[in-house]
Amino acid sequence: MNEPRVYKNSPATLLLITVFFIILIASIMVSAVIDPIVMILVCGFGLLSFLIVFLSVSSKVIISDDEITSQNILSKRTLRWMEIIRVSGRVNGIKLHSEDTTVSINPQLPGYEEVVEIIGQKRPDVFSAQEFSEFRRGFASYFGFLLILLVFAVIGFFLFQPW
């Protein structure tokens, strides 16, 4: 592997999520049916949901011959392959540990399974094949989707109330 490989969501995905939440928040604010206090609470909940989803889909992983880097808007962490002393993780993705750094890989990334496979090839000595023998999506991997559904449910509840 001469060129570093980058695993990330497409910019179109980030743009669609941003536009979706802008339209959602704008439609709530324009609605005259909702009480101002409820509108502020729903908009705040929508904004918090947007931040969580946006942070999740804006993460990326860069794998080179020498190291692995996990990056999102808030942080960037890098480990050289030989620094990895332990691999852990379950529902919320795989984590690579050194003495003082932990690199977390988001299971929502396109190519997540390939990333885990590369980790296993680079460091089979710290990679428990039985711990990661199968890939399953747990509840945490659907958190963003469920959060969006909850936002819609709350908005629908308040918009369609016969006040």
Side-chain angles (χ1 to χ4, degrees):
M1 178 183 340
N2 296 332
E3 290 283 323
R5 296 193 65 162
V6 179
Y7 297 87
K8 65 180 183 173
N9 285 298
S10 73
T13 303
L14 298 174
L15 182 64
L16 283 173
I17 288 172
T18 303
V19 168
F20 167 76
F21 275 101
I22 288 172
I23 291 170
L24 181 67
I25 299 289
S27 66
I28 293 169
M29 294 180 82
V30 170
S31 175
V33 179
I34 298 179
D35 182 330
I37 294 173
V38 173
M39 184 174 64
I40 291 170
L41 290 173
V42 171
C43 286
F45 183 73
L47 185 62
L48 180 65
S49 302
F50 167 74
L51 291 174
I52 291 169
V53 171
F54 191 79
L55 282 174
S56 176
V57 298
S58 66
S59 64
K60 69 179 178 180
V61 171
I62 304 165
I63 297 177
S64 70
D65 287 336
D66 302 324
E67 61 191 18
I68 183 167
T69 301
S70 178
Q71 180 179 355
N72 63 30
I73 293 173
L74 302 175
S75 69
K76 178 180 179 179
R77 296 195 176 178
T78 301
L79 277 177
R80 299 188 66 73
W81 292 114
M82 297 316 296
E83 293 175 343
I84 299 171
I85 58 173
R86 184 171 61 93
V87 177
S88 68
R90 289 262 188 239
V91 177
N92 59 344
I94 191 168
K95 296 179 182 181
L96 310 173
H97 305 273
S98 73
E99 292 290 328
D100 58 350
T101 304
T102 299
V103 172
S104 298
I105 311 298
N106 185 344
Q108 297 294 325
L109 280 175
Y112 173 74
E113 290 83 4
E114 186 177 334
V115 171
V116 174
E117 191 174 302
I118 292 171
I119 294 167
Q121 291 169 355
K122 293 285 188 179
R123 289 302 308 269
D125 55 319
V126 294
F127 194 87
S128 171
Q130 291 176 333
E131 184 178 356
F132 299 101
S133 62
E134 62 183 73
F135 292 104
R136 290 178 286 173
R137 297 258 188 219
F139 174 74
S141 67
Y142 295 108
F143 183 71
F145 176 72
L146 294 173
L147 200 57
I148 291 170
L149 285 178
L150 183 61
V151 168
F152 274 124
V154 170
I155 291 168
F157 174 77
F158 287 111
L159 286 179
F160 299 110
Q161 286 294 318
W163 300 101

Short mmCIF file of all heavy atoms in Angstrom, two decimals, residues 70-122:
data_model
loop_
_atom_site.label_atom_id
_atom_site.label_comp_id
_atom_site.label_asym_id
_atom_site.label_seq_id
_atom_site.Cartn_x
_atom_site.Cartn_y
_atom_site.Cartn_z
N SER A 70 -7.37 8.57 12.81
CA SER A 70 -8.81 8.79 12.89
C SER A 70 -9.03 10.26 13.15
O SER A 70 -8.43 10.84 14.06
CB SER A 70 -9.40 7.96 14.03
OG SER A 70 -10.79 8.20 14.13
N GLN A 71 -9.89 10.88 12.33
CA GLN A 71 -10.05 12.33 12.41
C GLN A 71 -11.53 12.69 12.31
O GLN A 71 -12.28 12.09 11.54
CB GLN A 71 -9.28 12.96 11.25
CG GLN A 71 -9.33 14.45 11.19
CD GLN A 71 -8.51 14.99 10.03
OE1 GLN A 71 -7.84 14.24 9.33
NE2 GLN A 71 -8.57 16.28 9.83
N ASN A 72 -11.94 13.65 13.12
CA ASN A 72 -13.24 14.28 12.97
C ASN A 72 -13.07 15.77 13.18
O ASN A 72 -11.94 16.25 13.28
CB ASN A 72 -14.30 13.66 13.91
CG ASN A 72 -13.97 13.86 15.37
OD1 ASN A 72 -13.35 14.83 15.77
ND2 ASN A 72 -14.41 12.93 16.19
N ILE A 73 -14.15 16.50 13.25
CA ILE A 73 -14.06 17.95 13.37
C ILE A 73 -13.35 18.37 14.66
O ILE A 73 -12.63 19.36 14.68
CB ILE A 73 -15.47 18.57 13.31
CG1 ILE A 73 -16.06 18.36 11.93
CG2 ILE A 73 -15.45 20.05 13.64
CD1 ILE A 73 -17.49 18.76 11.79
N LEU A 74 -13.53 17.60 15.72
CA LEU A 74 -12.99 17.98 17.02
C LEU A 74 -11.58 17.50 17.31
O LEU A 74 -10.87 18.11 18.09
CB LEU A 74 -13.93 17.47 18.12
CG LEU A 74 -15.37 17.97 18.05
CD1 LEU A 74 -16.21 17.29 19.11
CD2 LEU A 74 -15.43 19.47 18.16
N SER A 75 -11.17 16.39 16.70
CA SER A 75 -9.86 15.85 17.05
C SER A 75 -9.26 15.03 15.91
O SER A 75 -9.95 14.63 14.99
CB SER A 75 -9.97 14.97 18.30
OG SER A 75 -10.69 13.79 18.00
N LYS A 76 -7.97 14.80 16.06
CA LYS A 76 -7.22 13.95 15.13
C LYS A 76 -6.25 13.12 15.97
O LYS A 76 -5.45 13.67 16.73
CB LYS A 76 -6.47 14.81 14.12
CG LYS A 76 -5.64 14.03 13.14
CD LYS A 76 -4.93 14.97 12.18
CE LYS A 76 -4.08 14.19 11.20
NZ LYS A 76 -3.40 15.09 10.26
N ARG A 77 -6.34 11.80 15.82
CA ARG A 77 -5.46 10.91 16.58
C ARG A 77 -4.78 9.95 15.64
O ARG A 77 -5.42 9.36 14.77
CB ARG A 77 -6.24 10.16 17.63
CG ARG A 77 -6.83 11.12 18.65
CD ARG A 77 -7.28 10.43 19.84
NE ARG A 77 -7.73 11.43 20.80
CZ ARG A 77 -8.23 11.15 21.95
NH1 ARG A 77 -8.36 9.90 22.30
NH2 ARG A 77 -8.61 12.09 22.76
N THR A 78 -3.49 9.77 15.86
CA THR A 78 -2.69 8.91 15.00
C THR A 78 -1.91 7.92 15.85
O THR A 78 -1.39 8.28 16.91
CB THR A 78 -1.71 9.76 14.16
OG1 THR A 78 -2.47 10.67 13.37
CG2 THR A 78 -0.85 8.91 13.26
N LEU A 79 -1.83 6.70 15.35
CA LEU A 79 -0.99 5.68 15.97
C LEU A 79 -0.15 5.01 14.89
O LEU A 79 -0.67 4.67 13.83
CB LEU A 79 -1.85 4.59 16.63
CG LEU A 79 -2.38 4.85 18.03
CD1 LEU A 79 -3.27 3.70 18.46
CD2 LEU A 79 -1.26 5.04 19.01
N ARG A 80 1.12 4.83 15.19
CA ARG A 80 1.96 4.01 14.32
C ARG A 80 1.58 2.56 14.58
O ARG A 80 1.18 2.20 15.69
CB ARG A 80 3.42 4.29 14.60
CG ARG A 80 3.78 5.77 14.33
CD ARG A 80 5.25 6.05 14.41
NE ARG A 80 6.06 5.43 13.39
CZ ARG A 80 6.11 5.79 12.10
NH1 ARG A 80 5.35 6.75 11.65
NH2 ARG A 80 6.92 5.17 11.26
N TRP A 81 1.68 1.72 13.58
CA TRP A 81 1.25 0.33 13.72
C TRP A 81 1.96 -0.37 14.86
O TRP A 81 1.36 -1.17 15.59
CB TRP A 81 1.45 -0.44 12.41
CG TRP A 81 0.52 0.03 11.32
CD1 TRP A 81 0.86 0.65 10.16
CD2 TRP A 81 -0.90 -0.10 11.29
NE1 TRP A 81 -0.25 0.94 9.42
CE2 TRP A 81 -1.36 0.47 10.09
CE3 TRP A 81 -1.84 -0.64 12.17
CZ2 TRP A 81 -2.70 0.53 9.74
CZ3 TRP A 81 -3.18 -0.59 11.80
CH2 TRP A 81 -3.60 -0.01 10.62
N MET A 82 3.23 -0.07 15.06
CA MET A 82 4.00 -0.75 16.11
C MET A 82 3.68 -0.23 17.51
O MET A 82 4.04 -0.86 18.50
CB MET A 82 5.50 -0.64 15.83
CG MET A 82 5.92 -1.33 14.52
SD MET A 82 5.19 -2.97 14.25
CE MET A 82 5.87 -3.90 15.59
N GLU A 83 3.00 0.91 17.61
CA GLU A 83 2.63 1.47 18.92
C GLU A 83 1.38 0.80 19.50
O GLU A 83 1.11 0.92 20.69
CB GLU A 83 2.36 2.97 18.81
CG GLU A 83 3.57 3.80 18.48
CD GLU A 83 3.22 5.26 18.25
OE1 GLU A 83 2.02 5.57 18.03
OE2 GLU A 83 4.12 6.09 18.29
N ILE A 84 0.63 0.12 18.67
CA ILE A 84 -0.63 -0.49 19.12
C ILE A 84 -0.32 -1.66 20.05
O ILE A 84 0.40 -2.58 19.68
CB ILE A 84 -1.47 -0.96 17.93
CG1 ILE A 84 -1.83 0.22 17.03
CG2 ILE A 84 -2.73 -1.68 18.41
CD1 ILE A 84 -2.48 -0.18 15.72
N ILE A 85 -0.85 -1.58 21.27
CA ILE A 85 -0.62 -2.66 22.24
C ILE A 85 -1.88 -3.50 22.48
O ILE A 85 -1.79 -4.62 22.97
CB ILE A 85 -0.09 -2.12 23.58
CG1 ILE A 85 -1.05 -1.11 24.18
CG2 ILE A 85 1.29 -1.53 23.40
CD1 ILE A 85 -0.69 -0.66 25.59
N ARG A 86 -3.05 -2.93 22.12
CA ARG A 86 -4.30 -3.64 22.38
C ARG A 86 -5.38 -3.12 21.43
O ARG A 86 -5.39 -1.97 21.05
CB ARG A 86 -4.73 -3.41 23.82
CG ARG A 86 -5.94 -4.15 24.27
CD ARG A 86 -6.14 -4.02 25.78
NE ARG A 86 -6.33 -2.66 26.22
CZ ARG A 86 -7.51 -2.06 26.37
NH1 ARG A 86 -8.62 -2.71 26.09
NH2 ARG A 86 -7.59 -0.83 26.79
N VAL A 87 -6.29 -4.02 21.05
CA VAL A 87 -7.45 -3.66 20.23
C VAL A 87 -8.69 -4.05 21.01
O VAL A 87 -8.76 -5.14 21.57
CB VAL A 87 -7.41 -4.39 18.87
CG1 VAL A 87 -8.65 -4.07 18.06
CG2 VAL A 87 -6.16 -4.01 18.10
N SER A 88 -9.68 -3.15 21.06
CA SER A 88 -10.92 -3.45 21.77
C SER A 88 -12.09 -2.86 21.00
O SER A 88 -11.91 -2.19 19.99
CB SER A 88 -10.88 -2.88 23.19
OG SER A 88 -10.89 -1.47 23.14
N GLY A 89 -13.26 -3.10 21.52
CA GLY A 89 -14.45 -2.50 20.93
C GLY A 89 -15.55 -3.51 20.72
O GLY A 89 -15.32 -4.70 20.66
N ARG A 90 -16.73 -2.99 20.60
CA ARG A 90 -17.91 -3.81 20.33
C ARG A 90 -18.86 -3.01 19.45
O ARG A 90 -18.58 -2.77 18.31
CB ARG A 90 -18.63 -4.18 21.65
CG ARG A 90 -17.85 -5.18 22.45
CD ARG A 90 -18.41 -6.57 22.21
NE ARG A 90 -17.78 -7.48 23.13
CZ ARG A 90 -17.09 -8.52 22.74
NH1 ARG A 90 -16.93 -8.79 21.50
NH2 ARG A 90 -16.55 -9.31 23.63
N VAL A 91 -19.96 -2.57 20.05
CA VAL A 91 -21.04 -1.93 19.31
C VAL A 91 -20.63 -0.58 18.73
O VAL A 91 -21.00 -0.23 17.62
CB VAL A 91 -22.26 -1.76 20.24
CG1 VAL A 91 -23.38 -1.02 19.54
CG2 VAL A 91 -22.74 -3.11 20.73
N ASN A 92 -19.87 0.19 19.47
CA ASN A 92 -19.54 1.54 19.03
C ASN A 92 -18.25 1.61 18.23
O ASN A 92 -17.63 2.65 18.14
CB ASN A 92 -19.47 2.48 20.23
CG ASN A 92 -18.44 2.05 21.25
OD1 ASN A 92 -17.99 0.91 21.23
ND2 ASN A 92 -18.08 2.94 22.14
N GLY A 93 -17.83 0.54 17.63
CA GLY A 93 -16.66 0.55 16.76
C GLY A 93 -15.45 -0.08 17.42
O GLY A 93 -15.48 -0.51 18.56
N ILE A 94 -14.39 -0.10 16.67
CA ILE A 94 -13.15 -0.70 17.13
C ILE A 94 -12.23 0.40 17.67
O ILE A 94 -12.24 1.53 17.17
CB ILE A 94 -12.48 -1.50 16.00
CG1 ILE A 94 -11.34 -2.35 16.52
CG2 ILE A 94 -12.04 -0.60 14.88
CD1 ILE A 94 -10.85 -3.36 15.49
N LYS A 95 -11.47 0.08 18.70
CA LYS A 95 -10.55 1.03 19.31
C LYS A 95 -9.15 0.43 19.34
O LYS A 95 -8.98 -0.72 19.72
CB LYS A 95 -10.99 1.39 20.72
CG LYS A 95 -12.31 2.10 20.75
CD LYS A 95 -12.74 2.42 22.16
CE LYS A 95 -14.09 3.08 22.12
NZ LYS A 95 -14.55 3.43 23.45
N LEU A 96 -8.18 1.24 18.94
CA LEU A 96 -6.78 0.84 18.97
C LEU A 96 -6.10 1.60 20.10
O LEU A 96 -6.20 2.82 20.17
CB LEU A 96 -6.11 1.18 17.63
CG LEU A 96 -6.86 0.71 16.38
CD1 LEU A 96 -6.19 1.25 15.14
CD2 LEU A 96 -6.93 -0.80 16.35
N HIS A 97 -5.40 0.88 20.96
CA HIS A 97 -4.81 1.49 22.15
C HIS A 97 -3.29 1.41 22.11
O HIS A 97 -2.73 0.39 21.73
CB HIS A 97 -5.29 0.75 23.42
CG HIS A 97 -6.77 0.68 23.54
ND1 HIS A 97 -7.51 1.67 24.13
CD2 HIS A 97 -7.66 -0.28 23.15
CE1 HIS A 97 -8.80 1.32 24.10
NE2 HIS A 97 -8.90 0.15 23.51
N SER A 98 -2.66 2.51 22.54
CA SER A 98 -1.22 2.51 22.81
C SER A 98 -1.08 2.86 24.28
O SER A 98 -2.06 2.84 25.02
CB SER A 98 -0.50 3.53 21.92
OG SER A 98 -0.78 4.84 22.35
N GLU A 99 0.13 3.19 24.71
CA GLU A 99 0.34 3.56 26.11
C GLU A 99 -0.48 4.78 26.51
O GLU A 99 -1.03 4.83 27.60
CB GLU A 99 1.83 3.85 26.36
CG GLU A 99 2.70 2.63 26.27
CD GLU A 99 2.48 1.67 27.41
OE1 GLU A 99 2.15 2.11 28.53
OE2 GLU A 99 2.65 0.46 27.19
N ASP A 100 -0.57 5.78 25.63
CA ASP A 100 -1.22 7.04 26.00
C ASP A 100 -2.26 7.54 25.01
O ASP A 100 -2.86 8.59 25.22
CB ASP A 100 -0.16 8.13 26.18
CG ASP A 100 0.69 8.33 24.94
OD1 ASP A 100 0.60 7.51 24.01
OD2 ASP A 100 1.46 9.31 24.91
N THR A 101 -2.53 6.81 23.94
CA THR A 101 -3.46 7.27 22.91
C THR A 101 -4.43 6.15 22.54
O THR A 101 -4.05 4.99 22.50
CB THR A 101 -2.69 7.70 21.63
OG1 THR A 101 -1.73 8.69 21.99
CG2 THR A 101 -3.63 8.26 20.59
N THR A 102 -5.67 6.55 22.27
CA THR A 102 -6.67 5.61 21.77
C THR A 102 -7.24 6.17 20.48
O THR A 102 -7.68 7.32 20.44
CB THR A 102 -7.81 5.41 22.79
OG1 THR A 102 -7.26 4.88 23.99
CG2 THR A 102 -8.87 4.47 22.26
N VAL A 103 -7.23 5.37 19.45
CA VAL A 103 -7.80 5.74 18.16
C VAL A 103 -9.09 4.95 17.99
O VAL A 103 -9.06 3.72 17.99
CB VAL A 103 -6.82 5.47 16.99
CG1 VAL A 103 -7.50 5.68 15.66
CG2 VAL A 103 -5.59 6.34 17.12
N SER A 104 -10.21 5.65 17.85
CA SER A 104 -11.50 5.01 17.67
C SER A 104 -11.91 5.09 16.21
O SER A 104 -11.80 6.15 15.60
CB SER A 104 -12.56 5.71 18.53
OG SER A 104 -12.24 5.61 19.89
N ILE A 105 -12.41 3.98 15.69
CA ILE A 105 -12.87 3.91 14.31
C ILE A 105 -14.39 3.85 14.32
O ILE A 105 -14.98 2.96 14.93
CB ILE A 105 -12.30 2.67 13.58
CG1 ILE A 105 -10.79 2.53 13.79
CG2 ILE A 105 -12.68 2.70 12.11
CD1 ILE A 105 -9.96 3.66 13.26
N ASN A 106 -15.03 4.79 13.64
CA ASN A 106 -16.48 4.89 13.60
C ASN A 106 -17.06 3.76 12.73
O ASN A 106 -16.70 3.63 11.57
CB ASN A 106 -16.86 6.25 13.01
CG ASN A 106 -18.34 6.51 13.02
OD1 ASN A 106 -19.15 5.62 13.19
ND2 ASN A 106 -18.70 7.76 12.82
N PRO A 107 -17.98 2.97 13.26
CA PRO A 107 -18.55 1.87 12.47
C PRO A 107 -19.46 2.36 11.34
O PRO A 107 -19.86 1.57 10.48
CB PRO A 107 -19.33 1.06 13.49
CG PRO A 107 -19.63 2.00 14.58
CD PRO A 107 -18.50 2.98 14.62
N GLN A 108 -19.80 3.65 11.31
CA GLN A 108 -20.64 4.20 10.25
C GLN A 108 -19.85 4.52 8.98
O GLN A 108 -20.43 4.84 7.95
CB GLN A 108 -21.32 5.49 10.73
CG GLN A 108 -22.26 5.29 11.89
CD GLN A 108 -23.45 4.44 11.52
OE1 GLN A 108 -23.95 4.51 10.41
NE2 GLN A 108 -23.92 3.62 12.43
N LEU A 109 -18.53 4.44 9.06
CA LEU A 109 -17.71 4.76 7.89
C LEU A 109 -17.91 3.76 6.77
O LEU A 109 -17.97 2.56 7.01
CB LEU A 109 -16.22 4.74 8.27
CG LEU A 109 -15.65 5.93 8.97
CD1 LEU A 109 -14.22 5.66 9.37
CD2 LEU A 109 -15.72 7.16 8.11
N PRO A 110 -17.98 4.26 5.53
CA PRO A 110 -17.96 3.33 4.40
C PRO A 110 -16.63 2.57 4.40
O PRO A 110 -15.58 3.18 4.60
CB PRO A 110 -18.07 4.23 3.18
CG PRO A 110 -18.56 5.55 3.67
CD PRO A 110 -18.12 5.65 5.10
N GLY A 111 -16.67 1.28 4.24
CA GLY A 111 -15.45 0.48 4.24
C GLY A 111 -14.97 0.10 5.62
O GLY A 111 -13.82 -0.33 5.79
N TYR A 112 -15.84 0.22 6.63
CA TYR A 112 -15.46 -0.10 8.00
C TYR A 112 -14.91 -1.53 8.11
O TYR A 112 -13.89 -1.76 8.76
CB TYR A 112 -16.66 0.09 8.93
CG TYR A 112 -16.43 -0.37 10.34
CD1 TYR A 112 -15.63 0.38 11.21
CD2 TYR A 112 -16.99 -1.54 10.83
CE1 TYR A 112 -15.41 -0.04 12.52
CE2 TYR A 112 -16.79 -1.96 12.12
CZ TYR A 112 -15.99 -1.21 12.96
OH TYR A 112 -15.77 -1.63 14.24
N GLU A 113 -15.58 -2.46 7.46
CA GLU A 113 -15.14 -3.85 7.53
C GLU A 113 -13.74 -4.01 6.94
O GLU A 113 -12.92 -4.77 7.47
CB GLU A 113 -16.13 -4.76 6.78
CG GLU A 113 -17.47 -4.91 7.47
CD GLU A 113 -18.44 -3.77 7.17
OE1 GLU A 113 -18.11 -2.87 6.34
OE2 GLU A 113 -19.52 -3.75 7.77
N GLU A 114 -13.46 -3.29 5.87
CA GLU A 114 -12.13 -3.34 5.25
C GLU A 114 -11.08 -2.75 6.19
O GLU A 114 -9.96 -3.28 6.29
CB GLU A 114 -12.15 -2.57 3.93
CG GLU A 114 -10.86 -2.68 3.15
CD GLU A 114 -10.94 -1.95 1.82
OE1 GLU A 114 -12.05 -1.79 1.26
OE2 GLU A 114 -9.88 -1.53 1.33
N VAL A 115 -11.43 -1.69 6.90
CA VAL A 115 -10.50 -1.09 7.87
C VAL A 115 -10.15 -2.10 8.95
O VAL A 115 -8.98 -2.28 9.30
CB VAL A 115 -11.10 0.20 8.48
CG1 VAL A 115 -10.26 0.70 9.64
CG2 VAL A 115 -11.25 1.29 7.43
N VAL A 116 -11.16 -2.78 9.48
CA VAL A 116 -10.92 -3.79 10.52
C VAL A 116 -10.04 -4.91 9.97
O VAL A 116 -9.12 -5.38 10.65
CB VAL A 116 -12.25 -4.33 11.07
CG1 VAL A 116 -12.01 -5.48 12.03
CG2 VAL A 116 -13.03 -3.23 11.76
N GLU A 117 -10.28 -5.29 8.74
CA GLU A 117 -9.47 -6.34 8.12
C GLU A 117 -8.02 -5.90 7.97
O GLU A 117 -7.09 -6.68 8.24
CB GLU A 117 -10.06 -6.67 6.74
CG GLU A 117 -9.48 -7.92 6.13
CD GLU A 117 -10.20 -8.26 4.83
OE1 GLU A 117 -11.42 -8.45 4.88
OE2 GLU A 117 -9.52 -8.34 3.80
N ILE A 118 -7.79 -4.67 7.57
CA ILE A 118 -6.42 -4.16 7.44
C ILE A 118 -5.73 -4.12 8.78
O ILE A 118 -4.55 -4.49 8.91
CB ILE A 118 -6.42 -2.76 6.77
CG1 ILE A 118 -6.86 -2.87 5.32
CG2 ILE A 118 -5.04 -2.11 6.87
CD1 ILE A 118 -7.11 -1.53 4.63
N ILE A 119 -6.47 -3.71 9.82
CA ILE A 119 -5.89 -3.71 11.17
C ILE A 119 -5.45 -5.12 11.55
O ILE A 119 -4.36 -5.32 12.10
CB ILE A 119 -6.89 -3.14 12.20
CG1 ILE A 119 -7.16 -1.66 11.92
CG2 ILE A 119 -6.38 -3.33 13.63
CD1 ILE A 119 -8.35 -1.10 12.67
N GLY A 120 -6.31 -6.10 11.24
CA GLY A 120 -5.97 -7.49 11.53
C GLY A 120 -4.75 -7.97 10.77
O GLY A 120 -3.97 -8.78 11.27
N GLN A 121 -4.57 -7.48 9.55
CA GLN A 121 -3.40 -7.86 8.76
C GLN A 121 -2.13 -7.19 9.28
O GLN A 121 -1.06 -7.80 9.31
CB GLN A 121 -3.61 -7.50 7.29
CG GLN A 121 -4.67 -8.32 6.61
CD GLN A 121 -5.04 -7.75 5.24
OE1 GLN A 121 -4.58 -6.70 4.83
NE2 GLN A 121 -5.89 -8.48 4.53
N LYS A 122 -2.26 -5.92 9.67
CA LYS A 122 -1.08 -5.17 10.13
C LYS A 122 -0.62 -5.62 11.51
O LYS A 122 0.58 -5.64 11.77
CB LYS A 122 -1.39 -3.66 10.17
CG LYS A 122 -1.62 -3.03 8.82
CD LYS A 122 -0.33 -2.86 8.10
CE LYS A 122 -0.52 -2.06 6.83
NZ LYS A 122 0.72 -1.85 6.12
#
